[in-house]
């Protein structure tokens, strides 16, 4: 009876020894480098930085500092990757100003060349497409002309500098929905959206009532991590932050090409991405809620393969919020689309728990018997559970769903802030042990010293 107990203690003691040894080695290497290293510091103290003016010297010959002005020798020139990789003596070149919005692997001119080979019906052109090495820029992308230090949060929730995002298209086409307005030298964000033009606060309160049967808010429904699909200027994310709900927003680089720029300038976590032919770059069971408000995604097409990707990244008992015309309009082809959505979600054993005020909400039920029954009825395909352990980066979408792992507690995460300090079983599934996490935390603290 004592065997398993002794083994567990031995394992804990061994793990503790390894962590202590690793920390001692890293501390020793840090102080050895500090005391005996000959390299100058990589950091510039704040007082020194404030007292110096920084300029880029267009003449690469001289790099000497005179009259308190620090001059860099970097040249302004367009350069590309070469093999083997080399860095000029003058430092990495600075790209010309016209490349201030260059985004690696989202080069419109290169994507146009690929169009004949892409599946446009599935919007594959919106995904990442990286050119060959010799066509990839290898220079520092400059900021826009008259770029200012960004306004700090929380003021940046409502205002950012206009010169930092010198576009007007989004304000012109979405101003009536209170996405963003031009206001002197600033962009002003009233907090509206296509389906919440009267403000995100009221919309978020409504979602809380719908998920809790009028008894609480989104936190009471267990929502702490949200994925916002087709986020616009990310006002939905901005107004979730006071509830201590973290949101990752994404949108493609399309006709509203500057929407992610607005989100990042406001200080909101966002990235350029699209859900088309490949899995999203997140592990399975990552989010408590996925939100789509007029996100322009055809969830009903291709046998619902995009919905099955949401099923992968949603935790059991997670929510899918769908605010779009098929949820409430009875004209055109919207009823047909709605019927397809109901059929597909029922096949995955999702439950429609609310439908009102232009919004429908499903919950991903933890119901393996339902999935097994539907698989026998050919309503859904079941994935191999081992596929969930594979990296999702550059992985094709799977037209199947995975049974819940009832032996694991990965979906039983505690609420914040307790979950910030609790080791999740989902981390062990992707190879992150307590030892590795301890080293990562220590290294981050070490870099901040």
């Amino acid at each position: 009876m004592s065997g398993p107990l002794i083994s567990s203690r031995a394992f804990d003691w061994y793990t503790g020894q390894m962590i202590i040894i690793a920390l001692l080695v890293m501390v020793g290497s840090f102080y050895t480098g500090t005391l005996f290293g000959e390299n100058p510091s990589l950091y510039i103290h704040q007082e020194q930085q404030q007292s110096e003016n920084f300029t880029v010297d267009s003449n690469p010959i001289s790099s000497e500092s005179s009259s308190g002005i620090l001059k860099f020798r970097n040249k302004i020139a367009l350069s590309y990757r070469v093999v083997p990789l080399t860095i000029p003596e003058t430092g990495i070149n600075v790209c010309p100003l016209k490349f201030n919005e260059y985004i690696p692997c989202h080069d419109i001119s290169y994507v146009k060349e690929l169009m004949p080979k892409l599946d446009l019906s599935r919007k594959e052109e919106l995904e990442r497409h990286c050119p060959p090495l010799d066509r990839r820029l290898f220079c520092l992308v400059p900021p826009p002309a008259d770029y200012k230090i960004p306004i700090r949060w929380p003021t940046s929730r409502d205002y950012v500098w206009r010169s930092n995002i010198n576009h007007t298209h989004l304000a012109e086409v979405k101003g009536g929905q209170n996405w963003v307005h031009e206001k002197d030298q600033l962009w002003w964000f009233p907090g509206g959206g296509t389906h919440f033009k009267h403000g995100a606060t009221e919309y978020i309160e409504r979602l809380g009532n719908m998920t809790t049967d009028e008894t609480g808010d989104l936190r009471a429904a267990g929502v702490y991590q949200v994925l916002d699909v087709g986020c616009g200027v990310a006002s939905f994310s901005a107004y979730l932050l006071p509830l201590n709900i973290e949101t990752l927003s994404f949108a493609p680089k399309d006709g509203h090409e500057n929407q992610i720029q607005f989100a990042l300038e406001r200080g909101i976590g966002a990235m350029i991405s699209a859900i088309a032919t490949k899995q999203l770059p997140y592990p399975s069971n990552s989010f408590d809620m996925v939100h789509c408000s007029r996100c322009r995604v055809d969830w009903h097409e291709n046998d619902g393969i995009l919905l099955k990707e949401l099923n992968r990244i949603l935790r059991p008992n997670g929510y899918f919020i769908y605010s779009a015309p098929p949820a409430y309009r009875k004209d055109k082809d919207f009823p047909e689309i709605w019927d397809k959505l109901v059929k597909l979600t029922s096949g995955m054993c999702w439950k429609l728990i609310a439908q009102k005020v232009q919004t429908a909400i499903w919950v991903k039920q933890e119901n393996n018997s339902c999935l097994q029954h539907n698989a026998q009825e050919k309503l859904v395909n079941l994935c191999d559970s081992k596929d969930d352990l594979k990296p999702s980066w550059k992985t094709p979408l799977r037209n199947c769903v995975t049974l819940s792992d009832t032996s694991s507690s990965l979906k039983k995460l505690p609420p914040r802030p307790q979950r910030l300090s609790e080791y999740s079983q989902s981390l062990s599934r992707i190879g992150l042990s307590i030892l590795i996490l301890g080293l990562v935390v220590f290294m981050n603290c070490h870099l901040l010293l």
Side-chain angles (χ1 to χ4, degrees):
M1 295 294 291
S2 63
L5 180 60
I6 295 174
S7 176
S8 175
R9 289 176 176 174
F11 174 77
D12 292 341
W13 174 245
Y14 175 76
T15 303
Q17 282 184 317
M18 291 298 295
I19 293 176
I20 293 173
I21 292 172
L23 293 179
L24 289 175
V25 170
M26 296 184 69
V27 170
S29 63
F30 169 65
Y31 283 105
T32 301
T34 303
L35 296 174
F36 303 108
E38 297 180 355
N39 295 327
S41 174
L42 294 174
Y43 301 96
I44 299 176
H45 293 291
Q46 187 174 3
E47 295 79 11
Q48 178 184 354
Q49 187 174 11
Q50 291 175 344
S51 65
E52 293 177 341
N53 297 317
F54 292 85
T55 63
V56 176
D57 190 356
S58 58
N59 178 7
I61 304 300
S62 173
S63 64
E64 295 181 358
S65 177
S66 60
S67 303
I69 299 178
L70 182 62
K71 297 182 178 180
F72 296 102
R73 298 188 300 168
N74 307 64
K75 294 189 295 184
I76 299 177
L78 191 63
S79 56
Y80 295 87
R81 284 282 299 272
V82 295
V83 179
L85 182 64
T86 58
I87 298 178
E89 293 183 0
T90 55
I92 299 177
N93 293 338
V94 178
C95 304
L97 185 59
K98 69 177 183 178
F99 289 91
N100 71 83
E101 291 188 354
Y102 171 77
I103 303 172
C105 302
H106 287 283
D107 185 352
I108 295 177
S109 60
Y110 180 67
V111 172
K112 287 181 178 179
E113 296 177 21
L114 300 178
M115 285 293 196
K117 303 177 182 179
L118 301 178
D119 188 346
L120 304 185
S121 67
R122 297 180 63 185
K123 302 186 185 303
E124 190 178 4
E125 72 278 8
L126 298 178
E127 295 181 320
R128 286 171 49 92
H129 298 284
C130 302
L133 281 178
D134 59 354
R135 294 185 59 180
R136 299 184 192 181
L137 291 187
F138 189 67
C139 51
L140 302 174
V141 177
D146 195 28
Y147 187 85
K148 299 178 177 63
I149 295 176
I151 297 172
R152 291 181 177 272
W153 185 270
T155 307
S156 64
R157 187 195 72 173
D158 302 324
Y159 298 98
V160 301
W161 293 114
R162 188 191 183 285
S163 60
N164 289 7
I165 312 172
N166 194 20
H167 293 284
T168 60
H169 177 69
L170 204 59
E172 293 168 358
V173 299
K174 297 295 185 181
Q177 298 169 0
N178 282 330
W179 281 34
V180 58
H181 295 286
E182 190 175 352
K183 192 172 185 180
D184 300 325
Q185 299 184 56
L186 301 167
W187 289 116
W188 170 46
F189 304 91
T194 303
H195 263 78
F196 45 94
K197 62 182 179 181
H198 298 299
T201 300
E202 182 273 336
Y203 177 66
I204 291 170
E205 290 177 356
R206 189 196 324 152
L207 295 182
N209 290 331
M210 293 173 70
T211 52
T212 62
D213 196 22
E214 309 292 334
T215 61
D217 58 16
L218 288 175
R219 287 183 304 176
V223 175
Y224 293 93
Q225 289 174 283
V226 176
L227 182 67
D228 189 16
V229 181
C231 61
V233 295
S235 288
F236 180 69
S237 304
Y239 283 81
L240 282 175
L241 284 174
L243 296 177
N244 203 20
I245 296 176
E246 293 183 348
T247 306
L248 177 60
S249 304
F250 79 84
K253 182 177 171 61
D254 57 8
H256 300 154
E257 62 178 7
N258 54 335
Q259 54 189 320
I260 292 299
Q261 287 179 264
F262 278 120
L264 294 175
E265 191 69 23
R266 296 174 76 183
I268 300 166
M271 63 181 291
I272 291 178
S273 186
I275 179 168
T277 68
K278 297 180 178 63
Q279 290 183 356
L280 295 170
Y282 318 119
S284 301
N285 302 287
S286 291
F287 298 97
D288 304 309
M289 187 176 87
V290 175
H291 175 253
C292 163
S293 175
R294 287 282 186 119
C295 60
R296 302 169 69 182
V297 175
D298 295 326
W299 303 107
H300 63 288
E301 296 288 3
N302 301 300
D303 198 29
I305 194 169
L306 301 183
L307 284 173
K308 288 159 187 170
E309 172 62 2
L310 296 192
N311 189 83
R312 183 185 70 83
I313 62 175
L314 269 176
R315 294 192 177 107
N317 301 314
Y319 301 95
F320 175 46
I321 311 293
Y322 181 68
S323 297
Y328 61 92
R329 289 180 57 173
K330 304 302 180 183
D331 59 331
K332 300 181 179 179
D333 59 347
F334 294 129
E336 180 182 354
I337 294 174
W338 175 254
D339 289 342
K340 288 182 179 179
L341 287 173
V342 170
K343 182 179 179 180
L344 290 165
T345 52
S346 297
M348 296 188 299
C349 300
W350 288 11
K351 182 181 180 181
L352 181 64
I353 61 170
Q355 183 183 5
K356 60 182 180 181
V357 196
Q358 303 183 354
T359 298
I361 301 180
W362 284 271
V363 62
K364 173 188 171 181
Q365 296 186 109
E366 189 175 8
N367 193 338
N368 283 346
S369 60
C370 174
L371 287 175
Q372 289 168 338
H373 174 269
N374 288 352
Q376 291 177 351
E377 297 295 325
K378 307 298 182 183
L379 299 176
V380 69
N381 297 320
L382 296 181
C383 304
D384 187 334
S385 60
K386 294 181 180 178
D387 290 339
D388 271 359
L389 305 179
K390 298 178 181 178
S392 57
W393 182 248
K394 296 184 178 180
T395 301
L397 291 174
R398 297 178 297 169
N399 191 20
C400 56
V401 298
T402 306
L403 294 175
S404 298
D405 184 0
T406 56
S407 65
S408 171
S409 60
L410 63 90
K411 64 276 183 182
K412 303 297 184 183
L413 291 175
R416 293 174 61 90
Q418 293 94 321
R419 73 166 58 182
L420 298 179
S421 58
E422 180 163 320
Y423 177 68
S424 168
Q425 291 298 320
S426 60
L427 296 176
S428 65
R429 287 164 61 92
I430 59 176
L432 289 178
S433 66
I434 297 178
L435 174 59
I436 294 175
L437 290 175
L439 292 177
V440 170
V441 170
F442 176 80
M443 291 176 68
N444 287 335
C445 294
H446 167 253
L447 291 174
L448 294 173
L449 292 176

